[in-house]
């Protein structure tokens, strides 16, 4: 899978793409992430990418021309399954959507800034709009990182223990059971005895029950 991220601040994502599972997935050629500095497509000597809003109002707007130029160049090189704009008024991002996107081949993710992009970008170039939650960030980079991370970790082979990503919260509409590691007792606080019993069937049953109980308590909406 290939993901092209368009941003005026690609430095914000440099660290992210060179760490953890996203880094390893790239080393294993499971995913290829390319950061595109939009400013290189800016107009004039100042490489302008934003301008005042027509009709007035506070805040700058990202211009269509640099975005159009870059997206057109990318589209000439390969076919894209989705061209995504990160936006607080987009569809709320979920695990289900992450799973779905992880099966695609080529994605573009456009990060906005200021008041957002000229609406014609959204009308004519974008195929999907994603929000990571009901709050406003200063830019789309952190939101894009959330989406790229969630997609990458569910691509088969990205996580060494194949089942690990599938047993995470939300994968089966249930939250994860609690997890523990050594020591079995710390400060007098004990690990549930069943986990030390060696009885795999009983342990699996306990985990299922914990998942169910935690979901019922914390996120009853998931059980509906
Ligand atoms: N004026 C816009 C907000 C712009 S915030 C509005 O009120 O809807 C600047 C940029 O940050 C956006 O273009 C978007 O790319 C990104 N962004 C902010 N909040 C986001 C969120 N919750 N999810 C995804 N992207 C977000």
């Amino acid at each position: 899978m290939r993901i092209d991220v368009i941003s005026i601040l690609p430095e914000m994502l440099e660290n992210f793409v060179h760490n953890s599972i996203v880094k390893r997935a790239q080393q294993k050629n499971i995913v290829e992430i390319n950061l595109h500095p939009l400013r290189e497509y800016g107009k004039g000597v100042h490489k302008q990418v934003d301008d005042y809003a027509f009709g007035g109002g506070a805040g700058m707007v990202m211009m269509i021309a640099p975005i159009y130029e870059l997206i057109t160049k990318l589209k000439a090189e390969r076919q894209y399954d989705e061209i995504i704009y990160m936006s607080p008024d987009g569809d709320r991002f979920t695990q289900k959507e992450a799973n779905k996107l992880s099966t695609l081949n080529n994605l573009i993710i456009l990060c906005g800034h200021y008041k957002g992009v000229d609406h014609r970008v959204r009308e004519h170039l974008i195929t999907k709009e994603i929000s990571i939650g009901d709050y406003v960030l200063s830019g789309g980079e952190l939101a894009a990182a959330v989406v790229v991370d969630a997609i990458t970790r569910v691509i088969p082979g990205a996580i060494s223990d194949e089942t690990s990503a599938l047993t995470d919260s939300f994968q089966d509409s249930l939250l994860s059971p609690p997890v523990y590691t050594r020591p079995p007792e710390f400060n007098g606080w004990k690990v549930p005895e069943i986990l030390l019993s060696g009885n795999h069937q009983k342990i699996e049953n306990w985990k299922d029950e914990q998942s169910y109980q935690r979901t019922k308590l914390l996120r009853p909406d998931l059980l509906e």
Side-chain angles (χ1 to χ4, degrees):
M1 169 176 215
R2 177 184 166 117
I3 306 176
D4 291 279
V5 184
I6 301 176
S7 160
I8 58 166
L9 284 175
E11 316 87 76
M12 274 186 80
L13 292 163
E14 281 292 345
N15 211 5
F16 161 70
V17 298
H18 292 122
N19 276 286
S20 189
I21 287 167
V22 171
K23 169 186 164 185
R24 270 177 274 137
Q26 288 177 98
Q27 288 169 341
K28 293 192 218 166
N29 292 321
I30 287 167
V31 65
E32 180 187 333
I33 300 166
N34 296 282
L35 305 178
H36 301 276
L38 184 62
R39 204 164 282 284
E40 285 180 8
Y41 295 80
K43 297 295 146 209
V45 275
H46 297 297
K47 297 280 169 200
Q48 186 184 359
V49 291
D50 60 306
D51 209 335
Y52 295 101
F54 278 134
M60 302 298 276
V61 176
M62 284 172 68
M63 298 156 78
I64 188 168
I67 297 169
Y68 178 80
E69 206 180 305
L70 176 48
I71 289 182
T72 302
K73 176 182 158 263
L74 290 171
K75 278 166 80 175
E77 289 164 6
R78 68 195 61 75
Q79 175 119 28
Y80 283 92
D81 302 297
E82 297 283 6
I83 302 178
I84 299 168
Y85 176 52
M86 301 310 305
S87 185
D89 57 9
D91 294 333
R92 181 73 70 83
F93 193 54
T94 59
Q95 185 63 56
K96 199 170 153 200
E97 185 64 22
N99 295 351
K100 218 161 96 187
L101 292 174
S102 76
T103 65
L104 302 178
N105 292 323
N106 297 310
L107 291 182
I108 290 177
I109 302 181
L110 172 63
C111 305
H113 263 272
Y114 319 115
K115 288 306 272 182
V117 296
D118 184 312
H119 204 72
R120 289 168 292 183
V121 170
R122 302 172 66 170
E123 288 168 339
H124 301 288
L125 304 175
I126 295 299
T127 63
K128 185 184 267 299
E129 300 185 328
I130 295 180
S131 164
I132 62 161
D134 284 350
Y135 38 81
V136 177
L137 305 165
S138 313
E141 287 74 18
L142 293 176
V146 166
V147 169
V148 170
D149 189 299
I151 292 175
T152 302
R153 57 181 287 109
V154 290
I155 303 175
I159 297 184
S160 25
D161 179 358
E162 291 266 337
T163 59
S164 180
L166 299 177
T167 60
D168 282 334
S169 293
F170 308 115
Q171 282 295 7
D172 47 9
S173 301
L174 289 175
L175 302 180
S176 275
V179 290
Y180 301 86
T181 185
R182 287 185 290 182
E185 186 172 342
F186 178 82
N187 262 355
W189 303 325
K190 289 183 179 158
V191 166
E193 223 154 275
I194 181 95
L195 293 177
L196 311 174
S197 70
N199 185 328
H200 293 296
Q201 189 54 55
K202 277 195 173 159
I203 291 173
E204 282 316 308
N205 294 346
W206 179 87
K207 286 185 181 172
D208 290 346
E209 181 61 17
Q210 288 290 319
S211 272
Y212 177 73
Q213 291 301 340
R214 284 178 64 76
T215 310
K216 201 168 128 188
L217 183 71
L218 302 171
R219 291 294 305 275
D221 56 300
L222 295 177
L223 296 173
E224 278 154 23

